[in-house]
Amino acid sequence: MRIGVVTFPGSLDDRDAGRAIRLAGGEPVALWHGDHDLQGVEGIVLPGGFSYGDYLRAGAIAARSPIMTEVVDAANRGLPVLGICNGFQMLTEAHLLPGGLIRNEKGSFVCRDQTLRVESSSTQWTSAFTEGEEIVIPLKNGEGGFIADTETVARLEGEGRVAFRYLGYNPNGSVRDIAGIANERGNVVGLMPHPEHAVEPGFGPDTRAAMRSGVDGLRIFRSALEGVLAA
Amino acid sequence: MPTIVVDVMPKAELLDPQGKAVAGALARLGSSRFSGVRIGKRFELTVDGAVDDAVLDEVRGIAASLLSNSVIEDVVGIRVQEEAAR
């Protein structure tokens, strides 16, 4: 199952995302922001980083890259698209997801292992979870405060499109502790925390069982892979 | 060459952590009369040629679609600044 990972100028976690796809059982395909070619992939990850140095607004310039024309088309056709951190910011800037992300409430960059509650298992990137399940994956951002107008937030909540919620601690002042959301169809998901950093024992967050053994991020990638196989 | 100035501000109802940090610094430095600071962006677009309605329309479009994100910001001003005025 081939999943594309787009590299933009300033992407940092594109290789980690590719590695996560491989560990989840898929085949990562490197895609380039300046191309108009998705190379026939069956899913797309927009990785984290600081594309264009966060100039203008985080993700704003990358969201208008050549390849984003194809990404938007593919998303509208129902292809699974995941935006992680800077990728989430791009998805809002490309209007594939509602709302926006602003500087953290306390003004500082936050890096921590973050507990999340999986609020919906009906998206293409969360189908391998049980609703209400608690997971721990790393979070690292300076502009992760999710905001949207009251009407949009009510619609996201009402339609079950809040995919992940911060649990115990809201690191960036996101409205209603929202960590990740989905589009109406459930194929496009964006989240600020980094599932690709919790995919391999020895390199993930600490768990009660052992240090750095957390691999909760793996199932996000498995969800899409299993969904594509089942389709 | 004329310059078109576009001003963009974070939406009034949103917290502006940058402005808040500067306001805190002002208070520490003894400037206590300022109750708030908000920080926005100013874009200067240099125009190759004369500014007519078509150019201004294009700038309004650019300001709404690229220079600002209406979810988090407002375009608060678009004006032409002639060279002599600078």
Side-chain angles (χ1 to χ4, degrees), chain B residues 32-49:
Chain B
S32 55
R33 75 181 74 228
F34 306 106
S35 58
V37 178
R38 296 186 71 77
I39 300 180
K41 292 176 192 161
R42 170 189 167 116
F43 298 85
E44 297 186 348
L45 284 73
T46 310
V47 184
D48 195 5

Side-chain angles (χ1 to χ4, degrees), chain A residues 56-57 60-61 64 92-93 95 98-107 147-149, chain B residues 8 11 14-18 20 41 43 63-73:
Chain A
L56 188 61
R57 296 175 303 277
I61 300 178
R64 290 151 178 92
T92 63
E93 283 284 345
H95 308 296
L101 294 140
I102 59 169
R103 203 171 289 256
N104 292 348
E105 190 177 35
K106 292 191 177 108
I147 55 142
D149 58 59
Chain B
V8 174
K11 279 194 185 296
L14 293 182
L15 181 73
D16 171 15
Q18 286 192 92
K20 207 172 135 197
K41 292 176 192 161
F43 298 85
S65 67
L66 177 67
L67 303 185
S68 71
N69 175 347
S70 64
V71 176
I72 56 179
E73 297 165 318

Side-chain angles (χ1 to χ4, degrees), chain A residues 12-186:
Chain A
L12 295 177
D13 297 317
D14 41 348
R15 285 161 60 123
D16 297 59
R19 185 176 173 75
I21 290 163
R22 181 169 292 123
L23 288 166
E27 182 193 336
V29 177
L31 301 176
W32 184 240
H33 72 105
D35 293 341
H36 277 289
D37 184 6
L38 294 179
Q39 298 182 33
V41 295
E42 290 157 282
I44 299 165
V45 174
L46 303 182
F50 295 86
S51 58
Y52 294 92
D54 276 352
Y55 289 176
L56 188 61
R57 296 175 303 277
I61 300 178
R64 290 151 178 92
S65 303
I67 202 165
M68 286 304 289
T69 314
E70 281 69 29
V71 172
V72 170
D73 280 353
N76 290 333
R77 284 201 316 271
L79 212 75
V81 176
L82 178 70
I84 303 166
C85 194
N86 194 214
F88 183 14
Q89 293 161 338
M90 289 176 210
L91 289 175
T92 63
E93 283 284 345
H95 308 296
L96 284 173
L97 290 175
L101 294 140
I102 59 169
R103 203 171 289 256
N104 292 348
E105 190 177 35
K106 292 191 177 108
S108 54
F109 192 94
V110 177
C111 181
R112 67 196 305 269
D113 292 340
Q114 175 70 47
T115 305
L116 305 173
R117 189 166 56 224
V118 182
E119 297 283 26
S120 164
S121 60
S122 52
T123 83
Q124 291 202 29
W125 295 93
T126 55
S127 54
F129 294 95
T130 312
E131 260 167 48
E133 199 174 334
E134 293 178 19
I135 62 172
V136 178
I137 62 178
L139 169 131
K140 42 169 196 172
N141 66 65
E143 300 192 32
F146 178 78
I147 55 142
D149 58 59
T150 317
E151 200 181 304
T152 304
V153 173
R155 207 171 62 236
L156 287 171
E157 293 281 5
E159 294 173 359
R161 288 165 54 192
V162 175
F164 302 96
R165 212 184 295 272
Y166 298 118
L167 206 59
Y169 177 71
N170 180 338
N172 41 33
S174 289
V175 60
R176 296 186 64 93
D177 303 331
I178 290 174
I181 57 171
N183 66 347
E184 267 174 60
R185 200 166 169 176

